[in-house]
Amino acid sequence: MWYGFNVLWLFSAGGKEPFVNPHFINIDENELDFMAEMGCNFVRLPTDYRFFIHNFEYDKYDEEMLKVLDKCIDAIVSRGMHCSLNVHRGPGYCINGNEFERDNLWTDLIAQDAFTNLWKTFAERYKNYSKDQLSFDLLNEPPNPGQYGLTRENHKAIMSRVTREIRKISPDRTVVCDGLGGGHLAAPELADLNVVMSGRGYQPFHLTHWKAEWNEKNGSMTWDYPEWPGVNENGKIWNRQAMLDFYKPWKELKDAGCEVHIGEAGVYNKVRNDTALAWYRDFFGVCNELGFGFALWNFRGPFGIVEHRRENTHWETMHGMIVDRDLYELFKASMK
């Protein structure tokens, strides 16, 4: 199973007018050394296609930025960890700032062609990496069915097309598909593609995203403090059993032979650390019980184990970084 973190070096090129400069991408190899030494075997690398394609000129690629991507992947796999290359923003869709897109991935052939060709470019460029070194996570967190024109049928058609094209180039490449509804809804209709299904570890949202500024429109700044266990989210009481119930459709996928991985997880840094640790203890335990690997959304930052700044944390300096020692030990003990 895969255990590790997301690294955000190429996560976002910015807002409506992307800022793209290869000299400003910082590949923190000290972080990678730390992950490898703590026993991690997985790093997810979310990317924004606008680093490589500018001004919707889908047939033109920025070779200098592709060389930066080369360095990112090599830095990960050279340490013996698996790199999962993810398109976080693809032509025509992103869960964050979708309004910046000119085209619609779910309804416009021009975006679907661009998305497919982007993955064909990656498949050809990285065909010499083994499947143990590199996997392709096609698209971060597709929306709910009915949103932006997505249906389960057109979503499967697009992911099937891309998977076929990748495997024409790399027949045994591991392909990962995120769940729908922002990664939370299982998609059993994709099981026959022989892909890994990627879920999310953000339930209940009233705890993991309490006072998250980007979620203010959904009330995150006014929710009651989320004690764990016992968070009341819209009338539903959350505890370890509720978490197990939430993942039941994912466990059914795994029992049917489809590998499941929780590609993002974590608790934002506004809750007390004792609350966060109690949630992590149950989350890691549920993943272990169900046979899911997992990756926290970031390593250094508000969802990570380094410098998250939550209150009441036992901090310790390790490798020149300020580390949540309790979460570090809990994470290590949860890797099977």
Side-chain angles (χ1 to χ4, degrees), residues 4-216:
F5 300 89
N6 287 252
V7 292
L8 309 188
W9 309 324
L10 294 171
F11 153 60
S12 176
K16 184 176 182 180
E17 301 297 333
F19 176 76
V20 179
N21 186 320
H23 302 293
F24 283 84
I25 305 300
N26 176 38
I27 302 172
D28 194 325
E29 301 203 25
N30 186 42
E31 291 183 359
L32 295 178
D33 289 338
F34 188 106
M35 295 177 206
E37 288 182 23
M38 71 181 286
C40 295
N41 62 359
F42 175 89
V43 177
R44 186 169 180 259
L45 180 63
T47 63
D48 183 333
Y49 82 98
R50 299 173 302 169
F51 279 116
F52 320 114
I53 297 171
H54 310 314
N55 302 315
F56 306 112
E57 294 182 298
Y58 295 136
D59 59 344
K60 298 179 181 179
Y61 288 83
D62 185 329
E63 180 63 25
E64 291 306 307
M65 284 306 305
L66 286 172
K67 289 178 180 177
V68 173
L69 180 60
D70 297 343
K71 293 177 182 177
C72 292
I73 294 172
D74 183 67
I76 295 166
V77 301
S78 66
R79 288 164 170 80
M81 295 186 290
H82 179 91
C83 176
S84 185
L85 175 59
N86 165 247
V87 170
H88 187 276
R89 176 181 289 274
Y93 177 72
C94 185
I95 195 169
N96 307 116
N98 189 66
E99 66 275 11
F100 299 145
E101 293 305 308
R102 186 192 69 186
D103 306 307
N104 184 322
L105 178 61
W106 315 113
T107 61
D108 297 342
L109 183 60
I110 187 173
Q112 294 166 12
D113 289 346
F115 181 62
T116 303
N117 289 333
L118 177 65
W119 275 114
K120 287 170 66 176
T121 298
F122 290 156
E124 186 64 39
R125 193 175 186 95
Y126 302 121
K127 63 184 178 183
N128 290 330
Y129 285 105
S130 73
K131 68 175 184 178
D132 292 331
Q133 294 175 312
L134 180 67
S135 61
F136 291 161
D137 183 345
L138 300 187
L139 184 68
N140 183 71
E141 299 178 359
N144 282 300
Q147 189 177 17
Y148 304 124
L150 176 140
T151 65
R152 287 186 180 267
E153 292 74 22
N154 64 18
H155 173 257
K156 180 173 181 177
I158 295 165
M159 298 304 139
S160 298
R161 176 187 175 188
V162 174
T163 299
R164 284 195 304 270
E165 294 299 325
I166 288 170
R167 288 179 174 155
K168 287 178 184 177
I169 299 167
S170 295
D172 63 348
R173 179 68 60 206
T174 298
V175 173
V176 180
C177 288
D178 289 12
L180 303 180
H184 297 284
L185 299 178
E189 64 273 13
L190 301 185
D192 61 359
L193 301 183
N194 188 28
V195 297
V196 175
M197 293 299 305
S198 180
R200 294 294 176 268
Y202 292 132
Q203 297 294 334
F205 227 61
H206 282 202
L207 188 153
T208 64
H209 286 67
W210 188 66
K211 291 193 179 298
E213 297 83 357
W214 65 92
N215 200 48
E216 184 175 3

Side-chain angles (χ1 to χ4, degrees), residues 237-253:
I237 304 302
W238 279 86
N239 52 28
R240 190 182 192 279
Q241 183 57 51
M243 197 181 287
L244 278 167
D245 293 342
F246 172 79
Y247 286 117
K248 184 178 178 182
W250 296 87
K251 181 62 164 58
E252 290 172 352
L253 270 176

Side-chain angles (χ1 to χ4, degrees), residues 223-234:
W223 295 332
D224 291 338
Y225 186 81
E227 299 287 355
W228 184 265
V231 177
N232 185 331
E233 183 174 285
N234 302 322

Side-chain angles (χ1 to χ4, degrees), residues 249-302:
W250 296 87
K251 181 62 164 58
E252 290 172 352
L253 270 176
K254 183 172 178 62
D255 289 344
C258 183
E259 193 62 36
V260 172
H261 183 257
I262 306 303
E264 291 184 20
V267 177
Y268 192 48
N269 66 2
K270 295 301 188 290
V271 301
R272 299 188 308 267
N273 208 44
D274 59 328
T275 302
L277 288 170
W279 179 90
Y280 277 116
R281 191 170 292 108
D282 281 341
F283 170 71
F284 292 152
V286 164
C287 286
N288 289 163
E289 181 175 335
L290 299 179
F292 302 164
F294 51 80
L296 299 191
W297 167 240
N298 52 7
F299 173 76
R300 184 197 300 262

